[in-house]
Amino acid sequence: AWHKGQPYDLLILDQMMPGMSGDMLTERLRAEPRFAGLRIIAYTAHAMNGERDQIMAAQPMLLMTRRRIMIQP
C-alpha cells in the first residue's frame, strides 16, 4: 500500500525479528518525518522489566505482552 501512495494507518510490530529488534526499527521509523504520524503497536511474548523499558523508550503508542498492555503517555 505504501508504494502505491496509500500510507499505512497502523503497524503491529513483533519485537523478535531476525536482523533487527522491533525497538530499533521503531526508533528508525520515528526519526523519519514521513512516519511521524504512524501508530505503532509493539508486541512481545517475553518482555522482562528492563526489556519493557527499552521498548517503551522507542515510543511505540502501545506495547502488548502476553500478560500486560502498556500505553505510552
Side-chain angles (χ1 to χ4, degrees), residues 5-47:
Q6 301 168 344
Y8 295 104
D9 295 320
L10 175 71
L11 173 63
I12 299 174
L13 183 62
D14 191 338
Q15 288 300 114
M16 303 295 288
M17 299 183 304
M20 181 183 298
S21 67
D23 53 304
M24 288 175 64
L25 179 57
T26 300
E27 288 174 349
R28 288 186 183 185
L29 290 170
R30 291 288 179 236
E32 291 282 334
R34 65 185 173 144
F35 296 119
L38 180 62
R39 294 176 291 212
I40 300 173
I41 296 176
Y43 173 79
T44 184
H46 305 289

Side-chain angles (χ1 to χ4, degrees), residues 15-16 22-24 26-27 42-73:
Q15 288 300 114
M16 303 295 288
D23 53 304
M24 288 175 64
T26 300
E27 288 174 349
Y43 173 79
T44 184
H46 305 289
M48 304 302 244
N49 286 336
E51 291 171 305
R52 285 194 301 262
D53 295 341
Q54 181 179 346
I55 294 166
M56 292 305 284
Q59 299 182 345
M61 66 175 263
L62 180 76
L63 169 63
M64 297 183 339
T65 66
R66 194 179 320 185
R67 298 181 184 175
R68 172 185 281 176
I69 295 176
M70 297 176 69
I71 299 172
Q72 190 69 274

